[in-house]
Amino acid sequence: MSRKGRYGEYGGQYMPEILMPALQQLERVYQECKNDKLFQEELEWYHKHYGGRPTPLYYAKRLTESTGGAKIYLKREDLCHGGAHKFNNVMGQALVAKRMGKRHIIAETGAGQHGTATAMAAAVLGLEAEIFMGAEDVKRQKMNVFRMKLMGAKLHEVTTGSCTLKDAMNEALREWAASVETTYYMLGTAGGPHPYPEMVRDFQCVIGNEIRTQLKEMEGKLPDLLVACVGGGSNAIGTFYPFLKDKGVNMLGAEAAGYGIHTGVHSATLTAGTVGVLQGCKSYLLQDEDGMVKPAHSIAPGLDYPGVGPEHSYLKDIKRVVYEGITDEHALESFVTLSRQEGIIPALESAHAVWAGVNRARNMDRDQVVVITVSGRGDKDLEIVHSQGLIK
Amino acid sequence: MSRKGRYGEYGGQYMPEILMPALQQLERVYQECKNDKLFQEELEWYHKHYGGRPTPLYYAKRLTESTGGAKIYLKREDLCHGGAHKFNNVMGQALVAKRMGKRHIIAETGAGQHGTATAMAAAVLGLEAEIFMGAEDVKRQKMNVFRMKLMGAKLHEVTTGSCTLKDAMNEALREWAASVETTYYMLGTAGGPHPYPEMVRDFQCVIGNEIRTQLKEMEGKLPDLLVACVGGGSNAIGTFYPFLKDKGVNMLGAEAAGYGIHTGVHSATLTAGTVGVLQGCKSYLLQDEDGMVKPAHSIAPGLDYPGVGPEHSYLKDIKRVVYEGITDEHALESFVTLSRQEGIIPALESAHAVWAGVNRARNMDRDQVVVITVSGRGDKDLEIVHSQGLIK
Amino acid sequence: MKRMPQMFQRCKDDGSMALVCYLTAGYPDLGRSLEYLLAVDRAGADVIEIGVPFTDPVADGPIIQYTSDHAIRTGTRPNQVFELVRCLRAESDIPIVLMGYYNPIFAMGEGTFVTRAAEAGADGIIVADLPLEESAGMSRACRIKGLDMIQMVTRLTPPERMIIIARESTGYLYLVSRTGTTGKMTQIKPELRQLIGHTKHLAGRLPVVVGFGLSEFMQMQDLRMAGADGAIVGSALLKRMIEGVPPDKVGNYVTKLKQACGSKHH
Amino acid sequence: MKRMPQMFQRCKDDGSMALVCYLTAGYPDLGRSLEYLLAVDRAGADVIEIGVPFTDPVADGPIIQYTSDHAIRTGTRPNQVFELVRCLRAESDIPIVLMGYYNPIFAMGEGTFVTRAAEAGADGIIVADLPLEESAGMSRACRIKGLDMIQMVTRLTPPERMIIIARESTGYLYLVSRTGTTGKMTQIKPELRQLIGHTKHLAGRLPVVVGFGLSEFMQMQDLRMAGADGAIVGSALLKRMIEGVPPDKVGNYVTKLKQACGSKHH
Ligand SMILES: Cc1ncc(COP(=O)(O)O)c(C=O)c1O
Ligand SMILES: Cc1ncc(COP(=O)(O)O)c(C=O)c1O
């Protein structure tokens, strides 16, 4: 990191002045937390007793055999409480909020994953959660809305603009600006202004740290290849970061290529985007030549975002991590394959990583090891996949 | 147990002669498995690496505080792969089937929980699953049907009788009779003919065994009260059995009292039933004075069964376990409470146990410990609860 | 001598095979149920098995399940079944066997059930979900009241077990002719012929009656040739009843079946 | 002397407070956008802030977001905005400030953007998501081209930080009058009066202009009394435009606002 909150040229704090004191306070408090044994112990307690950590590292025998190449291990974030790696982040941030004395948490949500995770973390710590969600998404995601309300969160239905994620995020930032002294803003991925990318990455590093310990125990070595899907990039950075210094460990980030990069209908920010500034940080993003942000597409709701966390932009530039676009079609194929061969229904987001990982494993040696992070479970995606008519 | 397959007068093998050789074979093979270190190691491997075991024992601080009595711990079977304790059973039985060389597994399912669990276990071991499900249930449970198919199971839609669970079970037994040499019948609870009640109980005992170890570590003592919901009784017997010899450990089974025992619309087999013989074993059941089985009701699909595993009937008679009927209304109340106070959405089945446990904890001392088994997660029940209109 | 052995003796003398007809009690209702029973009796059946309806007939196929459910809904309980037996007995001397499931018997009490069955005029009892291991009590109760307790064997029953079951069974031995449950047809294959021979051999002097899935006339002849002492027809009759075929026409069908069994009178 | 300080001097001489009017460029389309700008100018505005539309205006309220989205859809990009400035400049000598977000500037290149803005006739630039920490590059580019780089402070800005920002800011200091974002009304409360005094004190000779959520005439008078050098009105104008109020009528409203600012001419 060249300077505070920067990853090469990426990152920064591109935010309205009104939020700067809050960001600086957060930065300060987070640094305290990071170095506070009691905080870390409390977080670990929630990991273990509430969240179901450590999650298993599972040797997928049948998938490996049908692939015929490297050994494929799956890091089972789908077994986290709430059904995804989102848990690691919201739990950490909710404890930070509590320490700051902020009992009111706001968060934006698209399909509802981060919203439900936030509601859950707020519930267990006795904080209030207010979830900003576009009216269109509210209509489409009835069950997630119900889940949030069930856990006591207040729904703030956003009726401006396209009534979807982006508008929900704008509205949440406005609300934050209006009540910044008492409100904690819970960001859902390793993006946004400093210190969020760093903080969220730190909270997600439990994924990679566990992989290291578990694989050491099982294979006595480091992985040859790590694979994770990249939406905002939180599960991927959590998987990769602890291995960045290990030269022999290759890394592959699977982005959403949607209908195919060439069609322009995708969310492959790193593969097909250009550098810009969006929602607080400098990073690759999908934009036109005038700097207008382009809509993203992915069959996976959690990958459907035109930006990406700044550290990934840096890792791409320095070629430490390779990023690859995986189409909707291939993701669907892996969704079915993993369900059928391993009895694990992955999130559509994770299915991107599975496809990318299996594809690489095929051309690797049998004594090599690929670890794919299954960021979440696919129950949330059944309607989407069902509507594709793949299974009669 | 007074004689083989008997719990006092309960249990037995009330089955057509055609199935007796298969039951005897199963009994033999299962005894082998039970004593085979390799089998147990393989099962443990799947528990740890595939299923997410051990599941946490979680001290529910906020629930305890709002209750104001004994310390409440939750055994988190909702974090098992697949979302319920069903995992423990299907994984064990699927390994038994594999050992018997039976690659075709059949199972009946009502709401689809046991069906999806069976499909999952079959998928990971590369076995074929055929799920018998009433046509009415197929219509009502579209997503669970899709889940099973996704994992490669064949759906056998049953169009006889009332087209629900009971007919599916009859049809599955017929199918078993017709192909018993090559087919393994995967029973979903600790009921049915010997050796199922014993085998399923053994597979579920991992719940109680883990509670013992975990609580020892956390509180340095045994629980004062164990609470679990009772449908067929598998998660409850798995919770209770390892503590049966510990005099100081009280046990409470929460049955479904539906609209209330006095209305007759319930599934409270032990509380309000009489002794009889249904689907293979002698036990308490809901029947009229002519021995005709009465329909059961519960808001929780998994408790909606007129019979119960035989060992519970025995434990009731010898007063080792107390059984109590919890109404739909109280279960719903706990469903909401646990979601709101702990960010854990329990299965409606488990919500029965939560109500019963919290109610007891209220009148216990602060240094006492209640452990409630949360048998599964409630995502599957959101539609049902939503339709109750409790949350706007 | 009792009705059952007399009947087998008569068939033997005839050179025919016994025709056992199964009807669900109370289908389509109690009154018409009796009419069908009488018609089947008059048409030449040698034994009548009366199904005691139960809510969860796991050993039966869809047709018997359907008629059972229907009969339960229209009020047919064990006591009504005894009444039916009494009415049939008043008109006929045909051997009558009650076939049912254990729970209604258990609910009434084994002793009471058997006593009432005997008093109503029944000759034997079959309990579909009461294998050897669970049937000691019923066997004893039947012995006391002089009823036959008919046991079942299948092609999967190991020889030693078959010998024991045959020893326990009285009246006849019920041989399940296929792996599945009642109601589905099957061809008489060489294996079945061997199975019948094998069972006859192990059953000693006890008659062997073959059931489950029979309806074709050809099958009857084949079974007789294979050495069966009797054949059971159930779903095939009930199917006709469900379709609305009246008692006399069902009787005609029974007559033809009996002819196929090799009755002298054909 | 440059237009901006001249204008503030004139207001001072007048005894009035400067009225800063914000309009989104290209709303409802480029042609009519110019008509509204000219009308507002003629009606008595002292400064015109032209909003450069961006797809994700996180610091703005629903009204500005709506007009931005609309303007983007009808083709308003930075180059079109410069054209608009050029047209306005051809007709008027009013100080023109471009207000926007950083990404379109970054996309064009800071230097190019500033150069083109200057060439078109703009006097200053405000970038809503470019706090002190990120604005060094833009400040430098503006300095080179003689444009004002106007910075923002809020009631949450600590005093030391406010001093630094005021030192970095040129043209005026933009004081966000409430905690929230643009577009919502607020009462002028005692705290705001104190905040203005405090900011004026720390800002030294730099004029302090108050913005966000202003629309009532009463507010203008209160602000003037509190010592503000200017007041910004944006959403209140755009709201009228969205309702279809024509340029001359919007102009009348501006005239009344300016009167409330204490212009001698009222
Ligand atoms: C299951 C799952 N995986 C991945 C993602 C993408 O987020 P990230 O790239 O921050 O891990 C999401 C976002 O909602 C998700 O729900
Ligand atoms: C979550 C859950 N809990 C409990 C039960 C009841 O089963 P048992 O009593 O065998 O544990 C079920 C059955 O489907 C279930 O799905």
Side-chain angles (χ1 to χ4, degrees), chain C residues 164-186:
Chain C
I164 301 170
I165 292 175
R167 201 182 297 145
E168 285 293 315
S169 192
T170 59
Y172 50 87
L173 187 64
Y174 191 136
L175 173 61
V176 178
S177 69
R178 53 183 287 281
T179 335
T181 43
T182 58
K184 289 189 192 169
M185 290 185 223
T186 176

Side-chain angles (χ1 to χ4, degrees), chain A residues 83-86 113-114 188-190 200 204 229-236 301-303 312 347-350 374-377 380-381:
Chain A
H85 71 292
K86 302 267 157 194
Q113 292 311 109
H114 178 54
T189 190
V200 176
Q204 293 293 359
C229 69
V230 180
S234 67
N235 89 84
L303 302 184
H312 286 289
L348 273 172
E349 292 82 3
S350 321
V374 177
S375 55
R377 61 170 130 95
K380 70 184 183 61
D381 298 316

Side-chain angles (χ1 to χ4, degrees), chain A residues 2 32 34 127 132 140 174 210 214 216 263 268 270 273-274 276 278 307 318 325 328 338 342 357 385:
Chain A
S2 46
E32 273 171 43
K34 200 168 172 169
L127 309 173
F132 289 73
R140 280 191 292 234
R174 274 168 212 144
E210 287 180 5
Q214 292 169 323
K216 200 103 201 179
T263 65
L270 292 160
T274 50
L278 178 65
I318 64 166
D328 288 354
L338 199 65
E342 297 290 352
V385 177

Side-chain angles (χ1 to χ4, degrees), chain B residues 72 225 227 252 352-362 370 372:
Chain B
I72 301 172
L225 177 66
V227 189
L252 175 60
H352 286 74
V354 173
W355 203 92
V358 168
N359 199 34
R360 285 297 174 94
R362 194 169 291 122
V370 174
I372 304 173

Side-chain angles (χ1 to χ4, degrees), chain A residues 6 13 174 177 277 287 291, chain D residues 55 60 65 103 134 161 179:
Chain A
R6 288 281 173 175
Q13 282 185 315
R174 274 168 212 144
V277 171
Q287 57 182 336
Chain D
T55 38
D60 287 301
Q65 183 173 352
N103 196 49
E134 308 292 354
R161 182 174 173 88
T179 335

Side-chain angles (χ1 to χ4, degrees), chain D residues 14 30 58 73 80 85 113 122 168 190 199 204 211 219 223 230 245 262:
Chain D
D14 256 14
L30 281 164
V58 292
R73 269 200 304 279
Q80 281 72 37
V85 172
F113 188 94
E168 285 294 315
T199 309
Q219 293 172 341
L223 288 176
V245 178

Side-chain angles (χ1 to χ4, degrees), chain B residues 3-4 6 9 11-21 24 160-162 166-167 169-171 173-181 275-280 282 285 287-294, chain C residues 52-62 65 69 72 76-80 101-108 128-134 152-158 161 165 176 178-181 184:
Chain B
R3 55 194 166 98
K4 195 194 64 162
R6 289 278 172 177
E9 64 166 311
Q13 281 184 316
Y14 298 85
M15 277 280 129
E17 170 61 24
I18 187 94
L19 297 176
M20 293 305 287
Q24 284 161 358
T160 52
S162 57
K166 160 185 136 162
D167 310 284
M169 190 173 312
N170 290 337
E171 194 68 23
L173 283 168
R174 276 169 210 141
E175 172 66 26
W176 196 28
S179 64
V180 67
E181 295 133 300
V275 178
V277 171
L278 177 66
Q279 280 160 344
K282 187 179 285 182
L285 58 94
Q287 56 182 336
D288 65 19
E289 65 280 9
D290 291 316
M292 300 298 144
V293 178
K294 287 200 281 192
Chain C
V52 185
F54 178 53
T55 37
D56 293 81
V58 292
D60 287 299
Q65 184 173 353
D69 284 348
I72 290 167
T76 312
R77 300 300 151 91
N79 284 329
Q80 281 72 39
Y101 288 82
Y102 186 57
N103 196 50
I105 298 172
F106 179 77
M108 184 175 284
D129 57 349
L130 214 55
L132 192 62
E133 284 74 1
E134 308 292 355
M152 292 170 150
V153 294
T154 80
R155 71 180 176 86
L156 298 178
T157 310
R161 182 173 172 89
I165 292 175
V176 178
R178 53 183 287 281
T179 335
T181 43
K184 289 189 192 169

